[in-house]
Amino acid sequence: MSGLGEAVTLGHQGVFERLPGIVRALVADPTPDLPVFKGLLVTGDDRMRLYLTAADGSRTYGADVVISHTGPGLLAGITSGYLDNEYEQQPSDDPLCDVVVDLTRY
């Protein structure tokens, strides 16, 4: 397999290894004030976009994250209102979300 194919495969492998924990953390204890996890898309080597809908249903966020960095800290940031920071939101051309928040540095 070529370098790019291997990178994407490693990204998918990382998602499948981490997916149960990510989903469990985002949906295990639904709270009316927290965003609702809708799904995810692998976007590149060690990167994915999480799709979350605002608790009031007003918008859908695309949160770009590094797969290998998804853990309790990142998930706590997502559920603690980090997505609502208007300075971090960018307009989206992704038909699955209204705005994109870059959490790859988180």
Side-chain angles (χ1 to χ4, degrees):
M1 198 180 277
S2 71
L4 179 58
E6 290 171 10
V8 172
T9 301
L10 291 173
H12 283 82
Q13 179 181 350
V15 170
F16 292 121
E17 289 172 358
R18 294 177 181 271
L19 184 59
I22 294 168
V23 172
R24 198 169 25 256
L26 292 171
V27 300
D29 187 21
T31 305
D33 298 336
L34 297 179
V36 178
F37 176 72
K38 294 297 187 180
L40 61 85
L41 176 69
V42 175
T43 57
D45 180 31
D46 201 27
R47 303 218 179 226
M48 68 180 161
R49 178 169 288 171
L50 299 172
Y51 293 98
L52 303 114
T53 300
D56 64 3
S58 62
R59 68 178 29 185
T60 299
Y61 304 98
D64 290 336
V65 300
V66 176
I67 296 167
S68 61
H69 296 167
T70 55
L74 172 66
L75 298 175
I78 288 172
T79 59
S80 68
Y82 194 81
L83 296 176
D84 292 327
N85 182 345
E86 292 182 20
Y87 297 108
E88 296 291 332
Q89 297 174 3
Q90 299 297 316
S92 174
D93 60 357
D94 182 339
L96 300 175
C97 60
D98 300 306
V99 295
V100 174
V101 179
D102 182 2
L103 300 178
T104 58
R105 302 173 314 258
Y106 201 87

